[in-house]
C-alpha cells in the first residue's frame, strides 16, 4: 500500500484475549510505537485525536488492523456503551488513517 510521500506501513494489533481497554491500548502502543506514546490518553477520544489530528499516539502514515476484534465485544465504556461499537464508528469515520477491524 502506498501513500503520498512513500510506502504506508500496516500495523497489526491483536485483540485476542483482551480483557480490558487498558490492555488493548497497551497492545496498540507496543505494536504502533507511536510518536508521543507516553502522552497518549488511552481512550477512544485520544485515539481519534491521534489518528485524525496527529496527536499523542499518532502511528505515522499507517493502516491499523485490529485482528480478532470480536474479542472486544464484552468491553464497555464508562457510560456502559460498547467499546467495540465505538471503535467501529472510528474505523468508519476516520479519513486520515485507515482503521480496519478483522
Amino acid at each position: 500500500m502506498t501513500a503520498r510521500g512513500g510506502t504506508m506501513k500496516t500495523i497489526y494489533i491483536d485483540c485476542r484475549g483482551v480483557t480490558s481497554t487498558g490492555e488493548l491500548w497497551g497492545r496498540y502502543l507496543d505494536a504502533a510505537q507511536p510518536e508521543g506514546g507516553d502522552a497518549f490518553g488511552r481512550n477512544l477520544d485520544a485515539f481519534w485525536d491521534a489518528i485524525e489530528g496527529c496527536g499523542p499516539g499518532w502511528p505515522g502514515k499507517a493502516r491499523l488492523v485490529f485482528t480478532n476484534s470480536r474479542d472486544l465485544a464484552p468491553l464497555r465504556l464508562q457510560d456502559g456503551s460498547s467499546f467495540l461499537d465505538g471503535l467501529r464508528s472510528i474505523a468508519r469515520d476516520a479519513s486520515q488513517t485507515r482503521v480496519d477491524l478483522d
Side-chain angles (χ1 to χ4, degrees):
M1 177 178 289
T2 60
R4 280 185 233 160
T7 301
M8 184 182 299
K9 62 186 172 183
T10 299
I11 299 169
Y12 295 92
I13 301 96
D14 188 359
C15 302
R16 182 175 312 203
V18 168
T19 59
S20 71
T21 58
E23 183 179 358
L24 174 69
W25 296 127
R27 290 187 188 192
Y28 166 71
L29 292 170
D30 288 345
Q33 299 182 5
E35 295 180 18
D38 55 334
F40 177 65
R42 295 179 176 242
N43 60 56
L44 290 174
D45 288 335
F47 183 61
W48 177 262
D49 292 345
I51 65 168
E52 286 296 294
C54 302
W58 183 56
K61 291 185 179 186
R63 172 183 174 224
L64 302 174
V65 180
F66 289 82
T67 61
N68 302 298
S69 61
R70 65 193 160 278
D71 283 11
L72 302 176
L75 301 183
R76 297 284 171 240
L77 299 172
Q78 286 184 342
D79 66 2
S81 63
S82 167
F83 177 86
L84 183 55
D85 286 348
L87 188 59
R88 284 179 179 141
S89 179
I90 287 173
R92 180 188 63 241
D93 296 341
S95 62
Q96 300 301 310
T97 301
R98 181 171 168 184
V99 178
D100 294 322
L101 304 180
D102 178 18

